[in-house]
Amino acid sequence: MTDPIVQTESGPVRGLSQADVSRFLGIPYAAAPEGDLRFAAPARHPGWSEPRDATQWGPAAPYRLAEFPALDIDPLVGHRGRIGGDYLNLNVWTPAVGASGLPVMVFIHGGAWVGGSGGSPVHDGATFARDGIVCITINYRVSVEGFMAIPGAPTNLGLRDMLAALKWVQANIAAFGGDAANVTVFGESAGAMSIADLVTSPLAAGLFRRAIIQSGHGSMTRSIPIAERAMRKVARILGVAPTLAGFRSTTTDQMLDAVAKVQAPGSGLDMRDGTGRDVTYGLSKFSPVHGDDVLPMPPLEALRAGAGRDIDILIGTNADEMNLYFVPTGVQRKLGRLLSWFILGKVEPKSGRLLKAYRHHGERAGVTFTRVLSDLVFRWPARVFAGAHRGRTYVYELGWRSTACNGELGAAHGIDVPFVFDRLDLVSGERGLLGERPPQDLADHIHRVWVDFARDGILPWAEYADDDRQVYELETRRTRVETEADFPVAPYWAL
């Protein structure tokens, strides 16, 4: 089979065809963020004239791989290429280069805005191309480079990168067989949070028609003054002035060392807002900000004012989200009642009342603590986002329990991704995220729901509404009606 060549606005790219799917890897959508372009808005790539090799993975943004004891999560967050350099790039999988009008799905990876890659093994767009979708995964700037408020530099550079990638899709995807008028963005964790933010951004108007928000919502943005606390802390660690010139004087390794220090629980950096709450609940010192041209106002406020009403949304969570952080580490088993209150109190002013509201007789304190945070960080804010959206909105829940960590991992954060991409093989086994023998029929179903939504926005359950909160259980294929009574956190969350 002849390797396909596609003409893009920047120049021709040569891909690789295998098993009725053509893939094009590492295509730049913007110039490398180096030199004067470091900490600058994404700029047009200078382009090329001869066919560019797009058969190998392009570089990813600089980051260091997180480690989870007892679990191998490299297939989910690792990268198959090099790190740094010309990393504002994307990957395209298409079932037919010569086709036209195919649905398009653009995946935005997670990683707490400090890591991750569109080239992780699980993010295999071939499974979507197999089902008639043109699938794209992207890389974008993270941590200091992408989500830090630096005087003299544009804010929200990571979000601006995502917008640049989506503009590239609009300009180029027809050449790969895709329909630029039928684009669905989907992502998980920080990628989903970013998508939720972009739903409300005036700069994203017309760039996508649908959004799938997996374990995300729009309530993790900070004001610029609060974000600047992290900027000043990183500058002190690096020993540079808290200015654009100061940060440009640093090396990648120096920056990554500083990120590790500022992300550490003992960094001493207080990111709480005026209510006494840290909007990321300690998961990240880096996040999008509101109050600029990308996000003029907090996303929830924008949603309630009608922003994003023309975008169809599928949003959902996993039942035991925070188990990922506290089960493999052993924290859940070791945590006592007093320490639970102390730790939660560092990021949430109503910690005592919340722990009391969730406490079950005979339940270990660490389990209660984890359930509180699952609802506080992911599950309830996702429902709030769904309720605030004025357009078509659907809500799902994944309750299937992974057998990893002696059966205690459960429906943890991240387990949905291999089901969505239909790549259970990469995360199964003794140290795999999904444990032994995860159900292929569930992967078939979840993957099909995502494909069908991207194709025409039709789903097999009712829309979510304030007076009829229909939630679809992916593993049982049944709907249930939720109320605020299902979430003890609800009375405290917005107060």
Side-chain angles (χ1 to χ4, degrees), residues 456-493:
D456 53 25
I458 296 176
L459 289 173
W461 70 92
E463 295 180 41
Y464 188 90
D466 283 340
D467 58 350
D468 187 21
R469 299 176 180 179
Q470 296 275 344
V471 175
Y472 183 72
E473 298 175 345
L474 288 168
E475 72 284 5
T476 67
R477 307 187 191 188
R478 295 194 297 264
T479 56
R480 68 172 188 263
V481 177
E482 290 182 339
T483 68
E484 288 195 7
D486 296 316
F487 293 89
V489 69
Y492 305 102
W493 187 79

Side-chain angles (χ1 to χ4, degrees), residues 13-25:
V13 291
R14 178 185 290 109
L16 180 67
S17 292
Q18 291 179 325
D20 298 325
V21 171
S22 296
R23 70 178 191 181
F24 300 81
L25 308 177

Side-chain angles (χ1 to χ4, degrees), residues 188-271:
E188 185 264 349
S189 195
M193 303 281 182
S194 299
I195 290 170
D197 297 340
L198 292 179
V199 164
T200 73
S201 174
L203 302 187
L207 295 182
F208 53 93
R209 184 173 178 179
R210 300 183 187 92
I212 304 177
I213 301 167
Q214 302 169 217
S215 301
H217 50 79
S219 298
M220 278 196 183
T221 65
R222 294 181 169 111
S223 69
I224 293 173
I226 291 176
E228 287 176 339
R229 297 176 193 169
M231 180 271 301
R232 290 190 291 269
K233 178 74 171 183
V234 171
R236 288 195 295 271
I237 292 171
L238 291 169
V240 300
T243 63
L244 180 58
F247 287 108
R248 279 183 174 165
S249 72
T250 63
T251 66
T252 295
D253 282 342
Q254 289 171 332
M255 180 267 292
L256 292 176
D257 288 342
V259 170
K261 292 177 180 177
V262 81
Q263 282 284 99
S267 69
L269 178 58
D270 185 353
M271 298 297 287

Side-chain angles (χ1 to χ4, degrees), residues 417-448:
V417 180
F419 284 102
V420 166
F421 279 91
D422 192 12
R423 289 307 309 264
L424 306 186
D425 56 308
L426 297 175
V427 288
S428 303
E430 185 178 350
R431 298 190 71 248
L433 181 69
L434 301 184
E436 301 286 354
R437 296 181 294 279
Q440 181 59 47
D441 64 329
L442 182 57
D444 294 341
H445 178 59
I446 293 176
H447 180 77
R448 175 51 56 187

Side-chain angles (χ1 to χ4, degrees), residues 8 67 77 100 106 114 186 260 318 325 407 432 475:
T8 73
E67 294 184 3
V77 298
S100 63
V106 181
V114 297
F186 69 123
N318 303 337
Y325 303 96
E475 72 284 5

Side-chain angles (χ1 to χ4, degrees), residues 83-99:
I83 298 294
D86 200 5
Y87 64 81
L88 296 184
N89 60 64
L90 49 78
N91 312 300
V92 181
W93 289 263
T94 178
V97 169

Side-chain angles (χ1 to χ4, degrees), residues 162 181 198 305 332:
M162 298 172 199
L198 292 179
Q332 189 185 86

